[in-house]
Amino acid sequence: MVLEATMICVDNSEWTRNGDYSPNRFQAQQDAVSLICGSKTQANPENTVGILTMAGKGVRVLVTPTSDLGKILGCMHGLEIGGEMNMTSGIQVAQLALKHRQNKKQNQRIIVFAGSPVTYDKKVLEMIGKKLKKNSVSLDVISFGEDDNGKPEKLEALVNSVNTSDSSHIVHVPPGSNALSDVLLSTPIFTEDGEGGSGFAAAAAAASGGAGGYDFGVDPNLDPELALALRVSMEEERARQEAAAKKAAEDGSKQEKGPEQSSSSKDIPMTDASLSSTQEIDKGVEPMDEETALLQQAIAMSMSESQPGQSSGGMADNEMPDAITVDQDLAHALQMSVSNDNKKDLSADVNKVVGDQSFLSSVIASLPGVDPNDPSVKDLLASMEESKGKENDKKSEGDDGDKQ
């Protein structure tokens, strides 16, 4: 990795207001400057970068060479645009700033953005170039905007007077091109070219987000945390897509099974109807003995057999009405007999309660507001005992007559 101290000369003249570069010349230049500063500081921890402006009220150093990227990028905001570009003074001030760098082992480099017409004579620029070459200062020139007044030839003469072992470069970016920073990525300013390269091609590839041949466009040796974060994010996105595809497949299989389930469910109401009909018959007749249970089973079977006959139609409907009528009459007769038996049992139970005089007296005594010593209550009990005695006499006479 090349150890360098770099001064970037920014063109903030009136010409940079033009919009032939998106969004305009000055903002496109700002993006390229930010990219270069980031690439320089990432290429080597000991690299330093400084920035100065060449227009406005005069050449002004915004920040001297430093490795603090936040300080470098912060000075680019809020710059005033106006005046004419003073390239010669800007290059000389940049050379002076590099001369006073703290680490004398750093190579010296000046990067000039020229977005305005060059009004200087060609010989003046060659003299400045020779002075830079004498002090071992490399020069990169980025020419964009109009090419009036022989601008390309003048800048090329400047670079040729400085160049030693291909250490200096010039790049012409015509109007209407893509972003200025994207065009510069494919130029020798951002590529390693042996002895005289700029020395930050790998970091520039990481900043571009797609160059260098690394996964996700990031060199893990330069920024391992960013490479790991991108890798984890990609794995999470892949897992999310797989889960979504699996869920969609499950939904599709459920939709295919839906028609089969709906067709099978159509047979359920017929079974429920047959069960409900048999349950209604069972409720009407309670099983009193084995014979009654057999009759109920026969009735249930006849009713269940009558339903398929009704759905099939034809001969079955004509043959079954008599059997169904007999079964219904039999069920009604059984129900009447059971109800009569229940009434007899109930009357027998009532007679037993009335016959128990002591129990009846205790019940009357427990009633609220009833006096067991009341004459009317005593008369009522006496009349009940008398009627009970008469019934017993009748039963005894009936039993004697049956025995004779």
Side-chain angles (χ1 to χ4, degrees):
M1 292 184 292
V2 179
L3 180 62
E4 284 185 340
T6 307
M7 283 296 298
I8 301 177
C9 301
V10 178
D11 183 5
N12 60 329
S13 63
E14 288 289 344
W15 295 90
T16 58
R17 297 182 186 274
N18 292 349
D20 49 355
Y21 297 86
S22 178
N24 57 49
R25 293 186 185 180
F26 185 75
Q27 292 185 12
Q29 183 182 198
Q30 278 186 319
D31 295 338
V33 170
S34 300
L35 180 61
I36 292 175
C37 292
S39 302
K40 285 283 188 178
T41 54
Q42 292 179 15
N44 194 317
E46 297 183 6
N47 282 354
T48 57
V49 181
I51 297 178
L52 61 83
T53 56
M54 297 182 294
K57 296 180 180 180
V59 177
R60 183 165 64 98
V61 178
L62 301 179
V63 60
T64 56
T66 178
S67 59
D68 187 355
L69 183 59
K71 185 178 180 180
I72 297 170
L73 299 179
C75 70
M76 290 292 296
H77 296 284
L79 290 179
E80 296 181 358
I81 300 176
E84 297 290 334
M85 178 183 66
N86 192 345
M87 180 181 291
T88 57
S89 298
I91 293 174
Q92 291 174 358
V93 173
Q95 179 186 356
L96 184 62
L98 292 175
K99 183 178 180 180
H100 292 86
R101 66 192 184 280
Q102 294 180 356
N103 188 357
K104 299 301 181 180
K105 295 182 180 180
Q106 293 174 324
N107 295 333
Q108 304 175 79
R109 180 174 296 275
I110 298 175
I111 300 177
V112 178
F113 284 86
S116 305
V118 178
T119 59
Y120 300 99
D121 190 38
K122 185 177 180 179
K123 293 182 179 180
V124 175
L125 296 177
E126 289 178 349
M127 289 177 59
I128 295 175
K130 291 178 181 180
K131 186 176 180 180
L132 294 176
K133 182 177 181 179
K134 181 180 179 180
N135 294 316
S136 301
V137 179
S138 301
L139 177 67
D140 292 331
V141 177
I142 301 170
S143 175
F144 61 102
E146 293 85 355
D147 293 334
D148 300 338
N149 299 326
K151 177 181 177 180
E153 292 79 5
K154 293 179 181 180
L155 294 178
E156 288 177 0
L158 173 63
V159 173
N160 292 333
S161 62
V162 180
N163 192 14
T164 301
S165 300
D166 199 20
S167 61
S168 301
H169 310 89
I170 182 171
V171 177
H172 298 279
V173 183
S177 303
N178 296 329
L180 187 60
S181 57
D182 294 342
V183 176
L184 295 178
L185 289 175
S186 59
T187 62
I189 296 176
F190 278 80
T191 57
E192 186 68 39
D193 55 355
E195 297 179 358
S198 58
F200 55 91
S208 66
Y214 300 106
D215 293 338
F216 315 111
V218 177
D219 185 1
N221 296 323
L222 297 176
D223 197 345
E225 295 180 357
L226 178 59
L228 179 61
L230 291 174
R231 186 176 295 104
V232 171
S233 178
M234 182 61 68
E235 291 177 357
E236 292 178 354
E237 179 65 18
R238 187 180 295 108
R240 186 190 65 80
Q241 292 178 357
E242 291 177 356
K246 184 177 180 181
K247 184 178 180 181
E250 292 177 354
D251 294 341
S253 62
K254 290 180 180 179
Q255 291 178 359
E256 291 177 358
K257 293 180 180 179
E260 297 178 359
Q261 294 178 355
S262 61
S263 61
S264 61
S265 64
K266 293 180 180 179
D267 300 334
I268 295 175
M270 296 178 66
T271 306
D272 294 341
S274 61
L275 291 174
S276 61
S277 62
T278 55
Q279 290 175 359
E280 290 177 357
I281 298 171
D282 294 340
K283 291 179 181 179
V285 181
E286 297 181 358
M288 298 300 294
D289 51 13
E290 185 177 358
E291 184 180 0
T292 306
L294 293 174
L295 288 174
Q296 289 180 353
Q297 186 175 3
I299 293 170
M301 292 177 65
S302 63
M303 293 298 293
S304 61
E305 291 175 357
S306 64
Q307 288 183 357
Q310 292 175 1
S311 60
S312 60
M315 295 294 293
D317 292 338
N318 296 327
E319 294 174 355
M320 292 302 295
D322 296 337
I324 294 173
T325 304
V326 173
D327 292 339
Q328 291 179 352
D329 293 340
L330 179 59
H332 183 67
L334 290 173
Q335 184 176 4
M336 293 294 293
S337 64
V338 171
S339 61
N340 292 331
D341 294 339
N342 291 335
K343 289 180 180 180
K344 292 178 180 179
D345 294 339
L346 181 59
S347 61
D349 294 338
V350 173
N351 292 331
K352 291 180 181 180
V353 173
V354 175
D356 192 352
Q357 187 65 25
S358 59
F359 175 73
L360 187 60
S361 301
S362 63
V363 171
I364 293 174
S366 63
L367 295 175
V370 178
D371 186 6
N373 298 322
D374 189 4
S376 59
V377 175
K378 291 180 178 181
D379 295 339
L380 178 60
L381 293 174
S383 62
M384 292 176 67
E385 290 178 359
E386 184 178 356
S387 61
K388 179 61 178 176
K390 292 179 180 181
E391 291 179 358
N392 291 333
D393 294 339
K394 290 180 180 181
K395 287 182 179 181
S396 62
E397 291 178 357
D399 293 339
D400 294 340
D402 293 335
K403 289 180 182 180
Q404 291 177 359

